[in-house]
Amino acid sequence: MMLLWRRRLAARFLMLVLLALALSQAITFLISWDERGQALHAAAKGEFVSRTSSLALLLDTTPPSLRPDILNVSGTAYTRFWTSDDGPSNPLAWQQEALTELAKPLPGIAGKYAAYMNGQASTAVDAADPSVPPRMVDLSGNGRPFSRPAKFLYMDAAPNGMGLSVRLDDSTWLNAAYAKAMPNAFWTTQSAISLALTALILSAIAIFGAQAIARPLRQLANAAELFGRGETVPRLPESGPDDIRQTAEAFNRMQERLQRFVEDRTRMLAAISHDLRTPLTSLRLRAEFVQDHDLQEKMLKTIEEIQTMTEAALAFAREDAAVEETRTVDLSALVGSLCDDLADLGQNVTVSDGPKVLYRCRPDSLRRAIRNLVENAVRYGEQARVSLVRSADSLDIVVEDAGPGIPPGDMEQVFAPFFRLEQSRNRETGGVGLGLSIARAIARHHGGDIVLDNRSNGLRAVIRLPLIDMAKQLAPAPVPETHPPTGLRSLPV
């Protein structure tokens, strides 16, 4: 439950709705749980008084010889009727007599019904507490229910017990006793079913509402992830409630501004590169007229270095602004084919065979990043051992060499543009210092990064790419590229 609470908006929304339902039901039960019992008791009392009143009228109009039979057939599972010469002058004595009458079996009834009726009456009598005295109320005259003498007794000793004595026309008294256990539990089957149905309906509504809220948020998260990986993301629909709509509008504006920023920077660097070509050409022409051959050669090398750095900077900026289509490729085959190409150029490269791994990426850019790491490994570490390792949450392209490694203080500095550990600026011993910068930019555009680690026998460089399923939600169906399988091989220098 706590995991769902932390990870799912729909589960959190549903739990809050159910908690609100439980609290509201509990408060309702605490306020009105006794109202049902009071209503049942009032209804039973009204029916009991009405039935006794009707029986009194009937006995007044029938011969005394028929009274025993009428009283017998009038009894029910919870009610007994009998006559006495005197009224209930002593409430406690009358209560004992009423309990005795209730315990008697009903005459003239046989079979299972008789057992049921008598069992109900016996249960009510067994539940009586003789230590609790009854209370008596006079119901006769002055607009009371009876115009004749009548006394109502609350038999507090019995569960929902009551009694009534009415004087008949011949001065005898009709006695009636009622005792029935009326369950008024806090938790009943009806309340459980009602609560379950209410919870089910509210859960369905809550899930529907939470999904409606979470759907645009998931779309926003997916779009942000894809945009962060350098993919072209279509504009989010700017609809729904104000909060959701304003969030989508803000994301769309941010995406447009970032795209304009990259395009403006690329155009600016392209313009600088173009504008530098004229003075560089002029300097090259002027250098041709220098008589000192050594000075001329140094000048031409410096001019060439400036031109190379300018073009590399422009290429680096264009890499940031690349809009290569993202597609699914066999990454193990891509790495193997790259290593084959480098081996054909005479570089010492070893690649380990692995299972087919489909990955959604920009293959040309990723190929360039891997090539930069492999070429650095061969240039500074004499060899490159390449492998593809898949973990629980990432896909690692590992390049290992046998070189001296990188000083710990320069581990982060080597990713800075134009930074070189080798300070001679000789193109034979190193490039212009953009290889790792470009490789890291490509890895980060894919949502990953490059990690460097010194080992006892060389440097270990890892392109760590995330395993993200959400990219499939906004992307078309993948068309995997195929390459010939590669195995573990040693390639000659």
Side-chain angles (χ1 to χ4, degrees), residues 97-127:
E97 183 180 4
L99 293 176
T100 303
E101 292 292 334
L102 286 169
K104 293 180 180 180
L106 291 173
I109 302 177
K112 295 182 178 180
Y113 182 70
Y116 170 78
M117 301 282 278
N118 295 326
Q120 293 294 321
S122 299
T123 302
V125 173
D126 293 340

Side-chain angles (χ1 to χ4, degrees), residues 106-278:
L106 291 173
I109 302 177
K112 295 182 178 180
Y113 182 70
Y116 170 78
M117 301 282 278
N118 295 326
Q120 293 294 321
S122 299
T123 302
V125 173
D126 293 340
D129 185 359
S131 63
V132 181
R135 295 175 290 120
M136 184 179 295
V137 179
D138 191 356
L139 297 183
S140 58
N142 298 326
R144 302 275 184 174
F146 297 95
S147 59
R148 68 184 76 190
K151 295 181 180 180
F152 186 88
L153 295 96
Y154 289 98
M155 296 170 57
D156 296 332
N160 289 298
M162 64 189 76
L164 183 60
S165 290
V166 182
R167 193 181 70 178
L168 301 178
D169 291 343
D170 60 358
S171 298
T172 60
W173 289 76
L174 171 63
N175 302 294
Y178 175 90
K180 178 183 179 181
M182 297 181 184
N184 187 30
F186 183 82
W187 186 258
T188 62
T189 303
Q190 291 82 357
S191 60
I193 294 175
S194 175
L195 183 60
L197 290 176
T198 305
L200 183 62
I201 295 173
L202 287 179
S203 298
I205 296 175
I207 291 175
F208 177 79
Q211 291 295 337
I213 296 174
R215 190 179 301 110
L217 295 180
R218 285 196 300 268
Q219 292 177 351
L220 176 62
N222 296 342
E225 179 65 30
L226 294 177
F227 184 67
R229 297 179 64 188
E231 298 190 27
T232 301
V233 180
R235 288 177 59 87
L236 292 178
E238 299 175 357
S239 59
D242 289 345
D243 295 338
I244 301 298
R245 178 177 52 79
Q246 292 172 2
T247 302
E249 292 175 353
F251 176 83
N252 291 333
R253 288 195 300 268
M254 179 198 69
Q255 183 178 206
E256 293 172 356
R257 291 168 182 168
L258 289 177
Q259 289 174 346
R260 286 198 303 268
F261 170 77
V262 174
E263 292 172 358
D264 292 343
R265 189 183 67 167
T266 303
R267 283 195 297 267
M268 180 188 67
L269 290 177
I272 294 174
S273 176
H274 180 271
D275 292 343
L276 284 176
R277 288 174 183 172
T278 300

Side-chain angles (χ1 to χ4, degrees), residues 34-56:
D34 194 43
E35 291 182 358
R36 176 176 177 272
Q38 293 176 359
L40 291 175
H41 184 78
K45 178 181 178 182
E47 181 182 358
F48 174 66
V49 172
S50 176
R51 184 181 181 87
T52 304
S53 176
S54 299
L55 184 58

